[in-house]
Amino acid sequence: MPKKIFLLSSLLFIALNFAGCAKYTPSYHSFKYYSKHKKQALKVYDFCDKNYPGWQNQEPENRAAAKRLANCANAKSGYWIQNIFKPPQPPHLKNNF
């Protein structure tokens, strides 16, 4: 009996995984969060470019899509703001980073 339950639950998990129910989706954060967390912003920005091609030009169909697109835009803006307004480094520190 326990073997049957284990096999059934394993098959259910595999079926849901292939159906897209077990995919990773980044959690929503504001622009302010991403402007302080550069690595997380880059990770979400890359995820959006890889998994949602053309997301910059998409119109949201529902609330979930609107939240996803807003999260991608927040990550992109937060990442680029950090790179644009980074203070210049002294010449002796440029090679160390």
Side-chain angles (χ1 to χ4, degrees), residues 2 9 15 17 21-22 24-25 27 45-46 50-51 53 62 64 70 73 79 82 91-92 94-95:
S9 63
N17 192 14
C21 297
Y24 167 76
T25 56
S27 57
Y45 181 40
D46 287 341
K50 181 181 175 185
N51 295 312
N62 53 30
Y79 177 74
Q82 286 181 3
H92 69 282
K94 283 186 180 179
N95 295 332

Side-chain angles (χ1 to χ4, degrees), residues 45-63:
Y45 181 40
D46 287 341
F47 178 84
C48 290
D49 281 342
K50 181 181 175 185
N51 295 312
Y52 310 123
W55 63 267
Q56 294 94 342
N57 301 323
Q58 289 181 357
E59 291 290 327
E61 301 106 21
N62 53 30
R63 280 184 158 180

Side-chain angles (χ1 to χ4, degrees), residues 1-96:
M1 185 71 172
K3 287 183 182 180
K4 288 182 182 179
I5 293 173
F6 176 74
L7 287 174
L8 261 166
S9 63
S10 297
L11 288 174
L12 180 65
F13 176 75
I14 291 171
L16 289 175
N17 192 14
F18 283 124
C21 297
K23 290 186 179 179
Y24 167 76
T25 56
S27 57
Y28 178 81
H29 293 292
S30 66
F31 166 75
K32 191 174 183 179
Y33 173 85
Y34 286 126
S35 64
K36 293 180 183 178
H37 298 90
K38 182 178 181 179
K39 289 182 183 179
Q40 183 70 19
L42 180 61
K43 184 178 176 183
V44 172
Y45 181 40
D46 287 341
F47 178 84
C48 290
D49 281 342
K50 181 181 175 185
N51 295 312
Y52 310 123
W55 63 267
Q56 294 94 342
N57 301 323
Q58 289 181 357
E59 291 290 327
E61 301 106 21
N62 53 30
R63 280 184 158 180
K67 191 173 182 180
R68 181 187 74 225
L69 293 174
N71 191 37
C72 292
N74 289 342
K76 178 184 176 184
S77 299
Y79 177 74
W80 286 109
I81 289 294
Q82 286 181 3
N83 289 335
I84 291 172
F85 296 115
K86 188 168 31 171
Q89 293 181 347
H92 69 282
L93 294 178
K94 283 186 180 179
N95 295 332
N96 294 339

